[in-house]
Amino acid sequence: MSINKRLGVESLLVTLLFTLGFMAWNVVQGMLMTLNHTPEMMHTDSSTSTLQSRVAFGSIARWDMTSILIAAVGFLLLAAAYYGLRSGIQRWTQRS
């Protein structure tokens, strides 16, 4: 069994574009939710000190070695799945 280098590079690029598109979609969703947010103005002056301690904007993501390893393995598995599907489709269309 030989590995098709062109298809391997295509698999990595498609997986990278898919991942970047997913990240971009999350950013766009966050921007739209921020634009469409209307805060509740009733009773805001009575509890400003407690409000400041409870508001959190987003979360802090800490990337340790385990998180990086899981992300890399997931990326490679997605690329391998794409490669397998595309090579299977190519073999199937060549037989027909």
Side-chain angles (χ1 to χ4, degrees):
M1 181 174 126
S2 65
I3 295 176
N4 187 347
K5 291 179 185 175
R6 182 188 160 280
L7 187 56
V9 170
E10 178 185 334
S11 299
L12 290 174
L13 287 176
V14 167
T15 304
L16 180 65
L17 289 175
F18 179 77
T19 305
L20 291 175
F22 181 74
M23 288 178 182
W25 175 245
N26 284 330
V27 169
V28 168
Q29 276 185 323
M31 291 171 65
L32 289 175
M33 288 189 326
T34 301
L35 285 173
N36 295 329
H37 176 70
T38 47
E40 179 65 36
M41 296 304 288
M42 300 297 278
H43 311 295
T44 57
D45 56 348
S46 63
S47 62
T48 55
S49 61
T50 58
L51 177 66
Q52 292 299 324
S53 65
R54 286 189 277 155
V55 174
F57 293 99
S59 62
I60 298 173
R62 304 227 191 280
W63 284 89
D64 58 349
M65 193 53 110
T66 306
S67 300
I68 294 171
L69 184 64
I70 289 172
V73 167
F75 181 83
L76 291 175
L77 284 175
L78 188 59
Y82 181 85
Y83 181 87
L85 284 173
R86 284 276 287 134
S87 63
I89 289 171
Q90 277 183 348
R91 275 188 262 131
W92 184 67
T93 55
Q94 287 174 356
R95 287 184 202 160
S96 298

